[in-house]
Amino acid sequence: MAGEDQLFQRFGREFAKGHILFREGEPGGEMFVVQSGKVNITKKVRETEKILATLGAGEFFGEMAILNNKPRSAGAVMAENGKLLVIDPRTFEAMIRGNVEIAVRLIKKLSDRLQEADEQIENLLLKDPASRVVHFLLSSAKRGRDTPQGKLVSLNADELHGRMGLSTEAVQQALDKIAKARIIQLVPEGVVVPDLGKMQKYLEFLEMKERFGDT
Ligand code: CMP
């Protein structure tokens, strides 16, 4: 698209996988829009680094420090090679003031993020790893891509471990257990959830089991 090319010429930069765009707590000087590749938004809790979100083409980040004049609320690192638009605060403000559609998209995205943060809090209150993995997959599947087999969540065990702050083994064990119960199918692209209603019931069953025990 010609418009996108012009934007890239003006604001675009290429970054290699592993490049740290900024760290949590630093002052924020610009916001970013992903044109290609993936970016991990990370937060350090004690000594473990947790991935809050993985953002892809069309998504933006780094706007909070500009809007609220506070230090970066999380870190950002390139998860893949990619192209980003790097936008300074004055241009960002001019874009919002000059285009209601951009402002509305921003508000919708911030609302989605708040909802996801609420889901993460709910997730952290669950105790056993299987419940936490099912809860996370259920929330992700609701936003997932439709495939003939069901909703696809494009995350593997390793990415799930980064997102959930659980060990890789705990995630893998939980995935095997859930797959055995036929609630999910493990496929090369990630995890397929054939039936969201059945998964919701399975989560309720796991919670009951946790509360009342096996007997
Ligand atoms: P800022 O605080 O400037 O720097 C970190 C950025 O990460 C923040 O702006 C948001 O754009 C983004 N961010 C923070 N928390 C989340 C989250 N839970 N999900 C997705 N993006 C987030």
Side-chain angles (χ1 to χ4, degrees), residues 4-23:
E4 270 190 20
D5 282 351
Q6 275 176 1
L7 272 179
F8 191 74
Q9 270 181 11
R10 216 170 135 204
F11 300 109
R13 280 177 63 189
E14 295 193 35
F15 296 94
K17 178 178 174 176
H19 180 90
I20 295 171
L21 297 156
F22 53 77
R23 292 191 163 84

Side-chain angles (χ1 to χ4, degrees), residues 22-32 40-43 51-55 59-68 70-76 109-110 112-114 116-117 120 163:
F22 53 77
R23 292 191 163 84
E24 183 179 349
E26 284 178 1
E30 58 259 310
M31 62 90 67
F32 301 80
N40 281 339
I41 301 295
T42 63
K43 199 154 178 83
I51 298 172
L52 294 180
T54 301
L55 308 178
E59 298 191 278
F60 61 85
F61 61 96
E63 76 298 337
M64 283 167 59
I66 294 184
L67 291 170
N68 64 14
K70 294 213 170 116
R72 295 292 192 195
S73 59
K109 195 72 211 172
L110 293 178
D112 284 349
R113 233 184 251 164
L114 189 58
E116 281 168 36
Q120 285 188 19
R163 289 290 291 270

Side-chain angles (χ1 to χ4, degrees), residues 20-180:
I20 295 171
L21 297 156
F22 53 77
R23 292 191 163 84
E24 183 179 349
E26 284 178 1
E30 58 259 310
M31 62 90 67
F32 301 80
V33 182
V34 184
Q35 287 214 313
S36 68
K38 292 220 158 87
V39 176
N40 281 339
I41 301 295
T42 63
K43 199 154 178 83
K44 212 168 169 188
V45 184
R46 282 184 223 110
E47 280 322 294
T48 44
E49 189 112 289
K50 190 171 179 292
I51 298 172
L52 294 180
T54 301
L55 308 178
E59 298 191 278
F60 61 85
F61 61 96
E63 76 298 337
M64 283 167 59
I66 294 184
L67 291 170
N68 64 14
N69 244 321
K70 294 213 170 116
R72 295 292 192 195
S73 59
V77 57
M78 296 300 295
E80 289 174 2
N81 293 343
K83 293 180 182 172
L84 307 182
L85 303 179
V86 185
I87 296 174
D88 61 278
R90 281 182 62 181
T91 307
F92 180 48
E93 193 168 330
M95 282 162 86
I96 295 174
R97 285 186 189 278
N99 190 327
V100 176
E101 205 185 309
I102 292 183
V104 170
R105 268 182 57 191
L106 180 79
I107 294 168
K108 283 190 178 159
K109 195 72 211 172
L110 293 178
S111 310
D112 284 349
R113 233 184 251 164
L114 189 58
Q115 190 178 357
E116 281 168 36
D118 287 345
E119 284 167 7
Q120 285 188 19
I121 293 172
E122 206 175 282
N123 191 290
L124 288 169
L125 292 173
L126 297 171
K127 287 200 189 80
D128 79 302
S131 301
R132 288 193 54 205
V133 172
V134 174
H135 180 277
F136 182 87
L137 288 175
L138 187 60
S139 303
S140 307
K142 286 178 187 162
R143 292 185 278 272
R145 186 154 59 82
D146 281 311
T147 68
Q149 289 75 35
K151 291 277 190 185
L152 172 68
V153 180
S154 305
L155 287 171
N156 60 32
D158 210 34
E159 288 164 322
L160 276 169
H161 132 83
R163 289 290 291 270
M164 306 200 55
L166 287 170
S167 71
T168 318
E169 299 78 56
V171 170
Q172 194 57 59
Q173 268 179 17
L175 286 176
D176 291 342
K177 178 175 167 177
I178 306 160
K180 212 168 145 200

